[in-house]
Amino acid sequence: MPRLEVLALDQLTEDQLTVLDAINSGPRGGGTPIGLVGPFGVWVRAPRIGMAVQALGGVARFETSIAEDAKEVAICVVGAHHRARFEFAAHARLARAAGVDAAAIENIRLGRDPVLKGTQSLAWSVATELMDAHRISDATYARAISSWNEEGLIELVSVVGYYCLVSLTLNAFDVPLPDNMDDPFPGVP
């Protein structure tokens, strides 16, 4: 059961509308307004945080040097780890669209080791180690630096951290799935 009432646009303050406009005018919707779905319906309620977080999300999601398929693998790992329904459902779709094998996504959802290659596999290792051990092993670090260099690894770690914030926001406020998304974690409170 959602913990926050759904807000109508005419209920938003000027500061909240400014955050929503920044969300809608950014790269997320591809020209279609995102609205108050997912974490955005939470963040507009705290405009200073909302503005900063949506700006970070825009950069983490759309302005890194990490390939989309690898980035989506990492995001799916975070969503599965936190059992964040909206995040995993949304990014499983994006991962498939970016070329990640559906069976690998399903294994990530189930907490199993997926069969991945190249930077998809490396992104899975980085994200999984950060979620499970809260750090990256020396071997994974060396592979990641070799593949993405320092800036790229910083970007990927920032993507993982940003989507942890997304997951915690979704879970703390029990943000519901829209009707067009299936629950990836049925039966999980």
Side-chain angles (χ1 to χ4, degrees), residues 105-121:
I105 297 166
E106 178 65 4
N107 280 331
I108 292 170
R109 183 183 74 81
L110 296 170
R112 299 179 186 153
D113 292 356
V115 176
L116 297 163
K117 294 180 182 172
T119 58
Q120 288 182 14
S121 177

Side-chain angles (χ1 to χ4, degrees), residues 8-25:
L9 292 180
D10 63 358
Q11 293 176 289
L12 299 180
T13 68
E14 186 176 323
D15 287 344
Q16 291 170 331
L17 284 168
T18 299
V19 175
L20 183 60
D21 182 56
I23 292 165
N24 285 333
S25 64

Side-chain angles (χ1 to χ4, degrees), residues 89-144:
H91 285 278
R93 288 180 182 177
L94 293 169
R96 283 189 297 276
V100 180
D101 182 67
I105 297 166
E106 178 65 4
N107 280 331
I108 292 170
R109 183 183 74 81
L110 296 170
R112 299 179 186 153
D113 292 356
V115 176
L116 297 163
K117 294 180 182 172
T119 58
Q120 288 182 14
S121 177
L122 184 53
W124 177 84
S125 294
V126 168
T128 298
E129 289 179 20
L130 286 171
M131 293 296 92
D132 294 347
H134 313 291
R135 50 194 25 82
I136 304 169
S137 69
D138 289 344
T140 298
Y141 180 85
R143 287 179 28 233

Side-chain angles (χ1 to χ4, degrees), residues 34-153:
I34 293 291
L36 298 171
V37 301
F40 306 114
V42 176
W43 291 331
V44 297
R45 294 166 190 264
R48 287 180 302 230
I49 290 292
M51 188 61 82
V53 171
Q54 76 79 27
L56 172 61
V59 173
R61 175 95 198 311
F62 298 102
E63 296 181 29
T64 70
S65 62
I66 306 299
E68 287 303 305
D69 61 337
K71 194 177 344 180
E72 291 299 337
V73 165
I75 296 168
C76 285
V77 168
V78 173
H81 176 84
H82 290 287
R83 300 294 187 253
R85 291 173 171 88
F86 183 95
E87 181 178 339
F88 190 88
H91 285 278
R93 288 180 182 177
L94 293 169
R96 283 189 297 276
V100 180
D101 182 67
I105 297 166
E106 178 65 4
N107 280 331
I108 292 170
R109 183 183 74 81
L110 296 170
R112 299 179 186 153
D113 292 356
V115 176
L116 297 163
K117 294 180 182 172
T119 58
Q120 288 182 14
S121 177
L122 184 53
W124 177 84
S125 294
V126 168
T128 298
E129 289 179 20
L130 286 171
M131 293 296 92
D132 294 347
H134 313 291
R135 50 194 25 82
I136 304 169
S137 69
D138 289 344
T140 298
Y141 180 85
R143 287 179 28 233
I145 290 294
S146 176
S147 180
W148 293 309
N149 69 42
E150 286 180 350
E151 184 176 356
L153 181 54

